[in-house]
Amino acid sequence: MKIRAVMIDLSGTVHVGDTLLPGVMNAITKLKERKVPLKYVTNTSKESRRSLLNRLTSAGLKVDKEDIFTSLSAAKTHVMQNKLRPLLLLEKEALEDFDGVLTEDPNSVVVGLSPSQFHYGRLTEAFNLLKSGANLVAINKSRYYKREDGLAIGTGAFVSALEYAADTEAHVVGKPSVHFFHLALKDLDPSLMAAETLMVGDDVRDDVLGAQQAGLQGALVKTGKYQDGDEKRFGDPNYVFDNLEEVADFVINQQ
């Protein structure tokens, strides 16, 4: 089916740290000139949407806050809808996205990528809440991600530790949740069909195969956390490209 819109992962696909990846500026410019609807869809849970926007703007990318859909936003919606009062294992840069959420007398644990929170005392506090019946909410279960100094362990390892110790199962809010992709699609354009939307990312499991499970088309880019052979190791992406600019050219040629 013809691709009408594009959803793009951020970390490892658009940028690494504070630096845009090669070809990204050209790719976004081409898509915008052709008026292809696009949305940045990210599992980033270490910083708020505002902080992420500032990072991208400082790197030279023209982007509005409404262009970004994050797993933090989806997690807050889940917490509010289910009347949860979470213990938040989040970095201070991410906490503003949970403004208005009650946290006294917690009945749940929300876990994002939070190196400052992942120590024995804080994890034990979370464990005891879970053993008392609290719900475990994972903003994502990313295995690892790409930083400027190399690969780094992701949220998933710490979520799995809590699941194992407390004998429970986390509700995963972000990618590769089918519901997350459908929420992002609705946020982009409620009139779009999943099959005419392309999800682009460097994580073959969470970005690409997860999107395909949700009915979208998936494109793996060989940037960021990509490792040689990923495209054959876990499943078959619909498309594989060297970088985001190749994706943009492919999409534009279909217009």
Side-chain angles (χ1 to χ4, degrees):
M1 182 175 287
K2 178 180 176 181
I3 296 168
R4 289 184 52 210
V6 182
M7 300 201 304
I8 305 172
D9 172 58
L10 281 173
S11 179
T13 303
V14 169
H15 71 102
V16 171
D18 294 325
T19 305
L20 295 183
L21 290 170
V24 164
M25 194 73 77
N26 287 341
I28 300 304
T29 298
K30 290 176 181 181
L31 291 171
K32 288 188 172 182
E33 285 178 348
R34 289 299 189 97
K35 300 190 184 309
V36 177
L38 65 87
K39 178 76 69 173
Y40 301 105
V41 178
T42 176
N43 259 352
T44 298
S45 59
K46 194 178 177 183
E47 57 187 334
S48 67
R49 188 165 63 159
R50 181 183 61 82
S51 176
L52 188 55
L53 174 65
N54 290 339
R55 179 190 297 274
L56 295 172
T57 301
S58 296
L61 194 64
K62 294 181 179 179
V63 57
D64 295 323
K65 190 175 181 180
E66 292 71 26
D67 295 332
I68 304 172
F69 186 83
T70 75
S71 52
L72 279 172
S73 302
K76 181 180 180 180
T77 298
H78 175 77
V79 165
M80 299 291 281
Q81 288 178 343
N82 290 276
K83 297 180 171 57
L84 301 179
R85 303 182 304 277
L87 172 70
L88 296 170
L89 300 189
L90 298 173
E91 293 294 89
K92 63 180 181 179
E93 293 84 0
L95 288 174
E96 69 178 72
D97 279 359
F98 277 78
D99 284 350
V101 172
L102 299 176
T103 57
E104 293 183 4
D105 188 24
N107 62 1
S108 59
V109 176
V110 170
V111 185
L113 182 60
S114 183
S116 70
Q117 298 284 308
F118 293 155
H119 57 81
Y120 192 79
R122 191 64 161 166
L123 290 171
T124 297
E125 181 183 0
F127 159 76
N128 279 300
L129 277 173
L130 297 172
K131 290 297 286 183
S132 300
N135 296 312
L136 178 58
V137 179
I139 294 177
N140 64 67
K141 286 188 76 174
S142 174
R143 292 167 175 82
Y144 56 92
Y145 66 104
K146 181 67 178 289
R147 299 191 311 198
E148 291 170 310
D149 61 348
L151 297 177
I153 192 169
T155 311
F158 300 94
V159 174
S160 293
L162 289 170
E163 287 179 316
Y164 179 77
D167 196 19
T168 190
E169 184 175 350
H171 173 81
V172 182
V173 175
K175 295 179 287 187
S177 161
V178 168
H179 183 60
F180 178 79
F181 285 111
H182 289 170
L183 285 175
L185 186 61
K186 183 178 180 181
D187 194 58
L188 172 56
D189 184 344
S191 70
L192 284 170
M193 295 174 56
E196 58 190 6
T197 305
L198 181 67
M199 176 67 210
V200 186
D202 65 320
D203 187 318
V204 66
R205 286 178 284 197
D206 288 356
D207 293 329
V208 182
L209 299 180
Q212 291 175 196
Q213 282 289 106
L216 289 77
Q217 298 186 54
L220 176 67
V221 287
K222 296 181 178 181
T223 57
K225 69 191 293 183
Y226 169 83
Q227 302 284 290
D228 286 343
D230 276 356
E231 61 269 40
K232 295 297 182 184
R233 191 169 291 127
F234 308 108
D236 295 318
N238 296 131
Y239 310 101
V240 181
F241 299 98
D242 285 338
N243 52 54
L244 192 59
E245 189 167 11
E246 282 192 5
V247 177
D249 291 337
F250 173 75
V251 171
I252 288 168
N253 285 336
Q254 295 195 16
Q255 303 302 303

